[in-house]
PDB file of all heavy atoms in Angstrom:
ATOM      1  N   SER B 192      28.314 182.755-186.587  1.00 95.00           N
ATOM      2  CA  SER B 192      29.146 183.791-187.179  1.00 95.00           C
ATOM      3  C   SER B 192      30.670 183.606-186.822  1.00 95.00           C
ATOM      4  O   SER B 192      31.366 184.586-186.831  1.00 95.00           O
ATOM      5  CB  SER B 192      28.611 185.180-186.890  1.00 95.00           C
ATOM      6  OG  SER B 192      29.028 185.653-185.568  1.00 95.00           O
ATOM      7  N   GLY B 193      30.989 182.325-186.510  1.00 97.00           N
ATOM      8  CA  GLY B 193      32.410 182.015-186.330  1.00 97.00           C
ATOM      9  C   GLY B 193      33.009 181.494-187.610  1.00 97.00           C
ATOM     10  O   GLY B 193      32.429 181.680-188.662  1.00 97.00           O
ATOM     11  N   GLY B 194      34.061 180.830-187.472  1.00 98.00           N
ATOM     12  CA  GLY B 194      34.831 180.312-188.559  1.00 98.00           C
ATOM     13  C   GLY B 194      36.290 180.481-188.549  1.00 98.00           C
ATOM     14  O   GLY B 194      36.808 180.739-187.505  1.00 98.00           O
ATOM     15  N   TYR B 195      36.965 180.545-189.802  1.00 98.00           N
ATOM     16  CA  TYR B 195      38.381 180.734-189.817  1.00 98.00           C
ATOM     17  C   TYR B 195      38.791 181.940-190.470  1.00 98.00           C
ATOM     18  O   TYR B 195      38.106 182.427-191.445  1.00 98.00           O
ATOM     19  CB  TYR B 195      38.957 179.472-190.455  1.00 98.00           C
ATOM     20  CG  TYR B 195      38.877 178.163-189.728  1.00 98.00           C
ATOM     21  CD1 TYR B 195      37.767 177.338-189.983  1.00 98.00           C
ATOM     22  CD2 TYR B 195      39.868 177.739-188.930  1.00 98.00           C
ATOM     23  CE1 TYR B 195      37.631 176.146-189.330  1.00 98.00           C
ATOM     24  CE2 TYR B 195      39.655 176.444-188.200  1.00 98.00           C
ATOM     25  CZ  TYR B 195      38.569 175.794-188.381  1.00 98.00           C
ATOM     26  OH  TYR B 195      38.369 174.489-187.785  1.00 98.00           O
ATOM     27  N   GLU B 196      39.859 182.516-190.124  1.00 98.00           N
ATOM     28  CA  GLU B 196      40.402 183.765-190.788  1.00 98.00           C
ATOM     29  C   GLU B 196      42.002 183.670-190.700  1.00 98.00           C
ATOM     30  O   GLU B 196      42.530 183.055-189.855  1.00 98.00           O
ATOM     31  CB  GLU B 196      39.883 185.043-190.080  1.00 98.00           C
ATOM     32  CG  GLU B 196      40.319 185.121-188.695  1.00 98.00           C
ATOM     33  CD  GLU B 196      39.654 186.248-187.922  1.00 98.00           C
ATOM     34  OE1 GLU B 196      38.869 187.045-188.598  1.00 98.00           O
ATOM     35  OE2 GLU B 196      39.735 186.421-186.688  1.00 98.00           O
ATOM     36  N   LEU B 197      42.645 184.405-191.719  1.00 98.00           N
ATOM     37  CA  LEU B 197      44.010 184.432-191.608  1.00 98.00           C
ATOM     38  C   LEU B 197      44.482 185.040-190.303  1.00 98.00           C
ATOM     39  O   LEU B 197      43.973 186.016-189.801  1.00 98.00           O
ATOM     40  CB  LEU B 197      44.507 185.206-192.829  1.00 98.00           C
ATOM     41  CG  LEU B 197      44.183 184.677-194.222  1.00 98.00           C
ATOM     42  CD1 LEU B 197      44.728 185.584-195.283  1.00 98.00           C
ATOM     43  CD2 LEU B 197      44.550 183.234-194.341  1.00 98.00           C
ATOM     44  N   ALA B 198      45.624 184.420-189.794  1.00 98.00           N
ATOM     45  CA  ALA B 198      46.118 184.956-188.538  1.00 98.00           C
ATOM     46  C   ALA B 198      46.997 186.199-188.850  1.00 98.00           C
ATOM     47  O   ALA B 198      47.178 187.024-187.857  1.00 98.00           O
ATOM     48  CB  ALA B 198      47.016 183.966-187.904  1.00 98.00           C
ATOM     49  N   ARG B 199      47.436 186.333-190.044  1.00 97.00           N
ATOM     50  CA  ARG B 199      48.206 187.582-190.406  1.00 97.00           C
ATOM     51  C   ARG B 199      47.705 188.095-191.759  1.00 97.00           C
ATOM     52  O   ARG B 199      46.954 187.343-192.359  1.00 97.00           O
ATOM     53  CB  ARG B 199      49.730 187.241-190.611  1.00 97.00           C
ATOM     54  CG  ARG B 199      50.487 186.758-189.242  1.00 97.00           C
ATOM     55  CD  ARG B 199      51.868 186.249-189.615  1.00 97.00           C
ATOM     56  NE  ARG B 199      51.652 184.681-189.682  1.00 97.00           N
ATOM     57  CZ  ARG B 199      52.337 183.928-190.367  1.00 97.00           C
ATOM     58  NH1 ARG B 199      53.341 184.330-191.138  1.00 97.00           N
ATOM     59  NH2 ARG B 199      52.066 182.550-190.493  1.00 97.00           N
ATOM     60  N   SER B 200      48.274 189.129-192.224  1.00 98.00           N
ATOM     61  CA  SER B 200      47.770 189.701-193.569  1.00 98.00           C
ATOM     62  C   SER B 200      48.295 188.660-194.629  1.00 98.00           C
ATOM     63  O   SER B 200      49.401 188.082-194.448  1.00 98.00           O
ATOM     64  CB  SER B 200      48.330 191.029-193.771  1.00 98.00           C
ATOM     65  OG  SER B 200      49.601 191.025-194.192  1.00 98.00           O
ATOM     66  N   PRO B 201      47.659 188.555-195.659  1.00 98.00           N
ATOM     67  CA  PRO B 201      47.934 187.582-196.843  1.00 98.00           C
ATOM     68  C   PRO B 201      49.386 187.894-197.242  1.00 98.00           C
ATOM     69  O   PRO B 201      50.095 186.790-197.631  1.00 98.00           O
ATOM     70  CB  PRO B 201      46.973 187.985-197.882  1.00 98.00           C
ATOM     71  CG  PRO B 201      45.849 188.602-197.149  1.00 98.00           C
ATOM     72  CD  PRO B 201      46.390 189.341-195.994  1.00 98.00           C
ATOM     73  N   GLU B 202      49.861 189.091-197.238  1.00 98.00           N
ATOM     74  CA  GLU B 202      51.231 189.275-197.751  1.00 98.00           C
ATOM     75  C   GLU B 202      52.301 188.711-196.813  1.00 98.00           C
ATOM     76  O   GLU B 202      53.421 188.422-197.214  1.00 98.00           O
ATOM     77  CB  GLU B 202      51.540 190.777-197.820  1.00 98.00           C
ATOM     78  CG  GLU B 202      50.737 191.500-198.740  1.00 98.00           C
ATOM     79  CD  GLU B 202      49.348 191.888-198.279  1.00 98.00           C
ATOM     80  OE1 GLU B 202      49.076 191.832-197.041  1.00 98.00           O
ATOM     81  OE2 GLU B 202      48.432 192.118-199.138  1.00 98.00           O
ATOM     82  N   GLN B 203      51.848 188.396-195.641  1.00 98.00           N
ATOM     83  CA  GLN B 203      52.849 187.944-194.552  1.00 98.00           C
ATOM     84  C   GLN B 203      52.824 186.342-194.438  1.00 98.00           C
ATOM     85  O   GLN B 203      53.561 185.848-193.716  1.00 98.00           O
ATOM     86  CB  GLN B 203      52.499 188.566-193.244  1.00 98.00           C
ATOM     87  CG  GLN B 203      52.871 189.978-193.172  1.00 98.00           C
ATOM     88  CD  GLN B 203      52.434 190.597-191.796  1.00 98.00           C
ATOM     89  OE1 GLN B 203      51.319 190.582-191.410  1.00 98.00           O
ATOM     90  NE2 GLN B 203      53.507 191.070-191.022  1.00 98.00           N
ATOM     91  N   ILE B 204      51.978 185.739-195.253  1.00 98.00           N
ATOM     92  CA  ILE B 204      51.943 184.282-195.152  1.00 98.00           C
ATOM     93  C   ILE B 204      52.469 183.707-196.463  1.00 98.00           C
ATOM     94  O   ILE B 204      51.946 183.828-197.512  1.00 98.00           O
ATOM     95  CB  ILE B 204      50.528 183.752-194.949  1.00 98.00           C
ATOM     96  CG1 ILE B 204      49.878 184.289-193.755  1.00 98.00           C
ATOM     97  CG2 ILE B 204      50.509 182.260-194.969  1.00 98.00           C
ATOM     98  CD1 ILE B 204      48.377 184.154-193.599  1.00 98.00           C
ATOM     99  N   THR B 205      53.706 183.134-196.231  1.00 98.00           N
ATOM    100  CA  THR B 205      54.331 182.525-197.370  1.00 98.00           C
ATOM    101  C   THR B 205      53.917 181.138-197.752  1.00 98.00           C
ATOM    102  O   THR B 205      53.390 180.432-196.879  1.00 98.00           O
ATOM    103  CB  THR B 205      55.874 182.431-197.328  1.00 98.00           C
ATOM    104  OG1 THR B 205      56.174 181.537-196.243  1.00 98.00           O
ATOM    105  CG2 THR B 205      56.519 183.768-196.994  1.00 98.00           C
ATOM    106  N   MET B 206      53.954 180.658-198.899  1.00 98.00           N
ATOM    107  CA  MET B 206      53.549 179.380-199.333  1.00 98.00           C
ATOM    108  C   MET B 206      54.523 178.363-198.683  1.00 98.00           C
ATOM    109  O   MET B 206      54.187 177.133-198.537  1.00 98.00           O
ATOM    110  CB  MET B 206      53.607 179.090-200.852  1.00 98.00           C
ATOM    111  CG  MET B 206      52.319 179.658-201.470  1.00 98.00           C
ATOM    112  SD  MET B 206      50.922 178.865-200.804  1.00 98.00           S
ATOM    113  CE  MET B 206      50.974 177.241-201.723  1.00 98.00           C
ATOM    114  N   LYS B 207      55.765 178.715-198.320  1.00 98.00           N
ATOM    115  CA  LYS B 207      56.631 177.832-197.506  1.00 98.00           C
ATOM    116  C   LYS B 207      56.039 177.475-196.231  1.00 98.00           C
ATOM    117  O   LYS B 207      55.996 176.274-195.855  1.00 98.00           O
ATOM    118  CB  LYS B 207      58.001 178.469-197.342  1.00 98.00           C
ATOM    119  CG  LYS B 207      58.950 177.759-196.548  1.00 98.00           C
ATOM    120  CD  LYS B 207      60.320 177.952-196.865  1.00 98.00           C
ATOM    121  CE  LYS B 207      61.357 177.283-195.796  1.00 98.00           C
ATOM    122  NZ  LYS B 207      61.002 175.892-195.446  1.00 98.00           N
ATOM    123  N   ALA B 208      55.489 178.442-195.592  1.00 98.00           N
ATOM    124  CA  ALA B 208      54.846 178.137-194.213  1.00 98.00           C
ATOM    125  C   ALA B 208      53.691 177.181-194.383  1.00 98.00           C
ATOM    126  O   ALA B 208      53.482 176.287-193.553  1.00 98.00           O
ATOM    127  CB  ALA B 208      54.384 179.464-193.606  1.00 98.00           C
ATOM    128  N   VAL B 209      52.913 177.411-195.433  1.00 98.00           N
ATOM    129  CA  VAL B 209      51.780 176.643-195.668  1.00 98.00           C
ATOM    130  C   VAL B 209      52.196 175.134-195.990  1.00 98.00           C
ATOM    131  O   VAL B 209      51.668 174.157-195.579  1.00 98.00           O
ATOM    132  CB  VAL B 209      50.938 177.117-196.883  1.00 98.00           C
ATOM    133  CG1 VAL B 209      49.760 176.226-197.256  1.00 98.00           C
ATOM    134  CG2 VAL B 209      50.446 178.607-196.586  1.00 98.00           C
ATOM    135  N   PHE B 210      53.210 175.090-196.878  1.00 98.00           N
ATOM    136  CA  PHE B 210      53.780 173.722-197.280  1.00 98.00           C
ATOM    137  C   PHE B 210      54.242 173.050-196.008  1.00 98.00           C
ATOM    138  O   PHE B 210      53.951 171.827-195.845  1.00 98.00           O
ATOM    139  CB  PHE B 210      54.985 173.917-198.252  1.00 98.00           C
ATOM    140  CG  PHE B 210      55.472 172.698-198.852  1.00 98.00           C
ATOM    141  CD1 PHE B 210      55.164 172.342-200.113  1.00 98.00           C
ATOM    142  CD2 PHE B 210      56.354 171.808-198.165  1.00 98.00           C
ATOM    143  CE1 PHE B 210      55.568 171.184-200.724  1.00 98.00           C
ATOM    144  CE2 PHE B 210      56.704 170.655-198.773  1.00 98.00           C
ATOM    145  CZ  PHE B 210      56.436 170.323-199.973  1.00 98.00           C
TER     146      PHE B 210
END
Side-chain angles (χ1 to χ4, degrees):
Chain B
S192 78
Y195 294 88
E196 62 190 353
L197 299 183
R199 292 164 271 151
S200 80
E202 294 81 18
Q203 291 177 297
I204 303 172
T205 65
M206 279 300 285
K207 173 153 169 51
V209 178
F210 188 103

